[in-house]
Amino acid sequence: MNETSLYALLRPLRILVLGYGNVTQAFLPLLVSRSEWLGRELGIHPLISGIGTRSGGFFVHPTGITPEQLAQKTEARTWFASQSMQVRDATAFIQAGRSAGTSLLLELTTLQPRDGEPALTHIRTALQHGMDVITANKGPVAHAQNALQALARQRDVQFRFESTVMDGLPLINLAQFTLQAVEIRAFRALLNTTSGLVLSMLEQGFTLEQAILKAQQLGVAESDPWYDLDGWDAVMKTTILANNLLDAHITPAMVEREGIRDITSEDIFAAALSGAPLRLVSSASRVRGMVTASVRPQPIKADDILHVAKGTTSVISLDTEAMGTITLVEHEPLVLQTAYGVLSDLITIFRQKRST
Amino acid sequence: MNETSLYALLRPLRILVLGYGNVTQAFLPLLVSRSEWLGRELGIHPLISGIGTRSGGFFVHPTGITPEQLAQKTEARTWFASQSMQVRDATAFIQAGRSAGTSLLLELTTLQPRDGEPALTHIRTALQHGMDVITANKGPVAHAQNALQALARQRDVQFRFESTVMDGLPLINLAQFTLQAVEIRAFRALLNTTSGLVLSMLEQGFTLEQAILKAQQLGVAESDPWYDLDGWDAVMKTTILANNLLDAHITPAMVEREGIRDITSEDIFAAALSGAPLRLVSSASRVRGMVTASVRPQPIKADDILHVAKGTTSVISLDTEAMGTITLVEHEPLVLQTAYGVLSDLITIFRQKRST
């Protein structure tokens, strides 16, 4: 059988993409590089049937463009728009995409932490239209995971979000697929890169402005760095992990939060000199059925496993009931790791479909 | 519906157990504690239909005994024998078990490293009889995984061995279920606890005899401690990981091996004093399609992630293509963690069955 006829046997997977930032731009070439794998292992070939952004508009293509074609264009988004039909807004985008046979929405817009909007509405709309949804956006998951998953179950579709915490490191999937029948009782983690980088630069005598600038240059800081430094990013991640690893039902408002805003340079120097530098620790634990969670600066001694997180490295240590303590370290991730998290969700969705 | 009638809806899972050492004795109570979970999630209730050991004989029960009943006896194995029919040898044991409706063999005998026998024959016989097999025994996996898996596929059954490396830490499953479509290019790991313990005690001025005694008291050393110290245990684990994480096809003889036998106390002290103590490092990497693997003593600097492995803690660092570097640490595992690895294989087998 020649290549063309093999290709014809594959099922098209039409994808809508909301957001065209770093993650989307890393995801599209990753999808190209996994094209052969997706065909061989899952029997699908992906097509991009829509790209939408708030600033650039919402565009839907009637049959879908292969990621390979897109990857050949220097201005891929503009070129895609030129081939497509523009629609009014995100809701019209999802409806038009659904009519064109799209079954998957990637919600990759940037975070709006207060209430997770407008991503939350995008996700709800897509699920209501019977589409699977993958998001890398912490907001909607931290604020409304339960409601969104109930909706997904009702419509017999999936809602996945592996890349919201520690990028593509399999953390949600670890609990779901490989640590079955084991209770995770607690975790401690360093999940916010910006605060770690800023604290370590302050220890070295740099100013706060220099430290923030560095984190922004590395592309790890949120557009408002205080979102990181006041602990909000860590709160969102802690909420998601508590709900998914510890089976809690909490919202971000229930996580005790203390950022690094009020720590003095004296405190920072003294802690570092004593060998136990301050870092923004996320933790949660279940005690007599109740899960409590917090984000706060804590001294990290040299013999603490969290001490391994240098630079942009993140770490989580799980205290489990039958498997003792397990630690996972993600060393200096780049945006490719976040994009892989999205791909791994896509793969999981199709593996699960095949198994039901 | 009352409890009795619910129980009647569950499918019996009859299990043969070969070997009655630490792992089996930790597995049986674990199975009791997971009884409700297995019923609810997988719709099965386990029954022990045979226990066999070389020294104590091979016993098969016609209908199977619940783990709960067994757990109530102080001399569980003797009591089981008194309720059962004795058969000649392991082959007769497997045949009689199969006739009594057993579908799963747990091969938990102790390791014979040279050729993996007699465990290898046990496993082959059970697979040939159409039984799923789980083993915690490195020998047969390191020596004959390919042949055994081919046989399993042919008989439409499964052969799993998560607990052969780093106990129940999901390493084989991580690669199979949560790091899909990602090439693991290399790994470095400290997998042999005895050599690490012995080296650290030699650094503190203890004699080799004292160090070996301590490892034996902790229950981590193989019956012949030189099997650990000459690197054979690490070679078996390295072979299994290279074949399963790096998709290699190697046998233990193809792993370059250098144990700690020939290291002088001077070398050990000097390395420790310089801040980079010697440890027995397992590593493998794929270069231009070829996988090479080795086990040898190497200095571990303070900024090396392997440095986190103190005491009986083990660590592995994976160098991947799309997910960068990921490290997993298992902190001071006990035999319960090995038993959990066996349970997690049992769960995976039933999840997989349900999905086909």
Side-chain angles (χ1 to χ4, degrees):
Chain A
M1 203 182 299
N2 64 34
E3 214 175 296
T4 318
S5 54
L6 260 177
Y7 191 79
L9 290 176
L10 301 177
R11 198 150 54 99
L13 165 65
R14 292 196 172 79
I15 303 172
L16 287 183
V17 185
L18 275 172
Y20 200 79
N22 291 338
V23 179
T24 302
Q25 289 172 60
F27 177 74
L28 291 175
L30 181 67
L31 197 58
V32 171
S33 73
R34 295 316 188 267
S35 166
E36 193 258 332
W37 192 97
L38 293 170
R40 188 182 69 233
E41 299 287 327
L42 303 180
I44 57 177
H45 73 93
L47 293 168
I48 304 302
S49 58
I51 298 178
T53 67
R54 219 174 339 176
S55 56
F58 300 88
F59 295 89
V60 178
H61 188 277
T63 55
I65 302 277
T66 66
E68 287 77 5
Q69 264 182 292
L70 264 182
Q72 285 161 12
K73 311 295 170 184
T74 43
E75 288 285 337
R77 184 165 66 104
T78 316
W79 178 81
F80 185 90
S82 74
Q83 307 293 307
S84 304
M85 178 185 72
Q86 183 164 12
V87 296
R88 189 173 72 251
D89 57 15
T91 302
F93 176 75
I94 291 165
Q95 285 166 340
R98 192 67 186 117
S99 304
T102 306
S103 64
L104 175 64
L105 172 72
L106 305 186
E107 216 300 332
L108 306 176
T109 62
T110 50
L111 176 60
Q112 200 278 70
R114 201 178 316 273
D115 56 8
E117 292 292 2
L120 179 49
T121 299
H122 301 159
I123 294 170
R124 192 185 291 121
T125 307
L127 293 172
Q128 278 166 343
H129 281 78
M131 293 169 70
D132 297 310
V133 177
I134 297 167
T135 190
N137 192 322
K138 293 175 281 289
V141 185
H143 284 288
Q145 178 185 338
N146 271 356
L148 294 173
Q149 278 186 325
L151 178 58
R153 269 194 302 277
Q154 189 194 320
R155 300 296 159 113
D156 200 20
V157 291
Q158 292 188 60
F159 173 49
R160 302 200 76 87
F161 42 84
E162 181 65 83
S163 52
T164 52
V165 188
M166 287 177 86
D167 313 295
L169 188 87
L171 216 45
I172 312 286
N173 287 341
L174 190 84
Q176 184 176 355
F177 296 112
T178 70
L179 280 181
Q180 298 188 90
V182 173
E183 187 196 348
I184 301 174
R185 293 186 289 213
F187 65 79
R188 291 175 70 239
L190 297 181
L191 300 174
N192 177 260
T193 309
T194 300
S195 64
L197 272 176
V198 165
L199 285 167
S200 68
M201 286 188 68
L202 294 176
E203 286 158 12
Q204 295 162 51
F206 292 95
T207 66
L208 183 62
E209 289 66 35
Q210 288 170 320
I212 289 174
L213 188 64
K214 177 74 177 176
Q216 286 172 332
Q217 283 166 349
L218 286 173
V220 295
E222 297 287 340
S223 51
D224 173 3
W226 286 103
Y227 174 68
D228 292 301
L229 303 181
D230 281 338
W232 288 111
D233 173 75
V235 161
M236 305 299 258
K237 291 169 173 166
T238 303
T239 304
I240 294 171
L241 290 184
N243 288 341
N244 288 280
L245 303 185
L246 271 62
D247 206 19
H249 295 91
I250 63 171
T251 56
M254 292 157 78
V255 178
E256 284 183 59
R257 180 187 57 82
E258 184 186 330
I260 66 171
R261 193 187 280 262
D262 299 329
I263 312 178
T264 65
S265 341
E266 286 72 30
D267 291 339
I268 290 171
F269 287 131
L273 278 173
S274 78
L278 291 168
R279 290 293 180 270
L280 197 58
V281 176
S282 290
S283 60
S285 63
R286 174 187 301 282
V287 179
R288 285 187 292 280
M290 277 286 295
V291 172
T292 55
S294 68
V295 167
R296 65 167 63 101
Q298 287 177 7
I300 308 292
K301 290 185 192 159
D303 63 354
D304 186 331
I305 188 70
L306 299 190
H307 201 85
V308 303
K310 303 282 176 357
T312 58
T313 294
S314 52
V315 57
I316 183 164
S317 200
L318 308 175
D319 170 24
T320 78
E321 159 263 347
M323 272 302 297
T325 304
I326 298 172
T327 299
L328 291 98
V329 186
E330 184 184 36
H331 299 261
E332 304 183 343
L334 306 168
V335 69
L336 176 61
Q337 272 82 320
T338 311
Y340 173 72
V342 174
L343 180 72
S344 87
D345 279 341
L346 187 157
I347 294 169
T348 302
I349 285 175
F350 280 84
R351 291 264 192 230
Q352 299 274 88
K353 270 192 211 305
R354 225 166 43 175
S355 78
T356 50
Chain B
M1 205 181 297
N2 64 33
E3 214 174 295
T4 317
S5 54
L6 258 178
Y7 191 78
L9 291 175
L10 300 178
R11 199 150 53 99
L13 165 65
R14 293 196 172 79
I15 305 173
L16 287 183
V17 185
L18 275 172
Y20 200 78
N22 291 339
V23 179
T24 302
Q25 288 172 60
F27 176 75
L28 290 175
L30 182 66
L31 197 58
V32 172
S33 72
R34 294 319 188 265
S35 165
E36 194 260 331
W37 192 96
L38 293 169
R40 189 183 67 232
E41 298 288 327
L42 303 178
I44 56 178
H45 73 94
L47 293 168
I48 305 302
S49 58
I51 297 178
T53 67
R54 218 169 346 172
S55 56
F58 300 87
F59 295 88
V60 178
H61 188 278
T63 55
I65 302 275
T66 65
E68 287 78 4
Q69 264 184 292
L70 264 182
Q72 285 161 10
K73 311 294 170 184
T74 44
E75 288 285 337
R77 185 164 67 104
T78 317
W79 179 81
F80 185 91
S82 74
Q83 306 295 308
S84 305
M85 177 185 73
Q86 182 163 13
V87 296
R88 189 174 74 253
D89 58 15
T91 303
F93 177 74
I94 291 166
Q95 285 166 342
R98 191 71 186 115
S99 304
T102 305
S103 64
L104 175 64
L105 172 71
L106 305 187
E107 217 300 333
L108 306 176
T109 62
T110 51
L111 177 59
Q112 198 278 70
R114 201 178 316 275
D115 55 8
E117 290 294 1
L120 180 48
T121 299
H122 301 159
I123 294 170
R124 193 186 290 119
T125 307
L127 293 173
Q128 277 165 344
H129 281 78
M131 292 169 70
D132 298 309
V133 177
I134 297 168
T135 189
N137 192 322
K138 293 175 280 289
V141 185
H143 284 288
Q145 179 186 337
N146 272 355
L148 294 172
Q149 279 185 324
L151 178 58
R153 267 193 304 274
Q154 190 194 317
R155 300 297 159 116
D156 200 20
V157 292
Q158 291 188 61
F159 173 49
R160 304 199 75 88
F161 41 84
E162 181 64 82
S163 53
T164 53
V165 188
M166 288 177 83
D167 314 294
L169 188 86
L171 217 45
I172 313 286
N173 287 340
L174 191 84
Q176 184 176 355
F177 296 112
T178 71
L179 280 180
Q180 297 188 90
V182 173
E183 188 196 347
I184 300 174
R185 294 187 290 213
F187 66 80
R188 293 175 69 237
L190 298 181
L191 301 174
N192 177 260
T193 309
T194 301
S195 64
L197 272 177
V198 165
L199 285 167
S200 68
M201 286 188 68
L202 294 176
E203 286 158 11
Q204 294 162 52
F206 291 96
T207 67
L208 184 62
E209 289 65 36
Q210 289 171 318
I212 288 174
L213 188 64
K214 175 76 177 176
Q216 286 170 333
Q217 283 167 347
L218 286 173
V220 296
E222 297 286 342
S223 51
D224 174 3
W226 287 103
Y227 174 70
D228 292 300
L229 303 180
D230 281 338
W232 287 113
D233 173 73
V235 161
M236 306 298 259
K237 291 170 173 167
T238 304
T239 304
I240 294 171
L241 289 185
N243 289 341
N244 289 280
L245 302 186
L246 273 61
D247 206 19
H249 296 90
I250 64 171
T251 57
M254 293 157 79
V255 178
E256 285 183 58
R257 181 188 56 82
E258 184 186 329
I260 67 170
R261 193 186 281 263
D262 299 329
I263 311 179
T264 64
S265 344
E266 287 73 27
D267 291 338
I268 290 171
F269 287 131
L273 278 174
S274 78
L278 291 168
R279 291 293 180 271
L280 197 58
V281 176
S282 289
S283 59
S285 62
R286 175 188 299 282
V287 180
R288 286 185 292 278
M290 279 285 295
V291 172
T292 56
S294 68
V295 167
R296 66 165 66 97
Q298 286 177 8
I300 308 292
K301 292 185 190 159
D303 63 354
D304 186 331
I305 187 71
L306 299 190
H307 201 86
V308 303
K310 304 282 178 354
T312 58
T313 294
S314 53
V315 56
I316 182 163
S317 200
L318 308 174
D319 171 23
T320 78
E321 160 262 347
M323 271 304 296
T325 304
I326 297 172
T327 299
L328 290 99
V329 186
E330 184 184 35
H331 299 261
E332 304 181 343
L334 307 167
V335 70
L336 176 61
Q337 271 82 321
T338 312
Y340 174 72
V342 174
L343 179 73
S344 87
D345 279 341
L346 186 157
I347 293 169
T348 303
I349 285 175
F350 280 84
R351 290 266 193 227
Q352 298 274 89
K353 270 194 210 305
R354 226 168 39 176
S355 79
T356 49

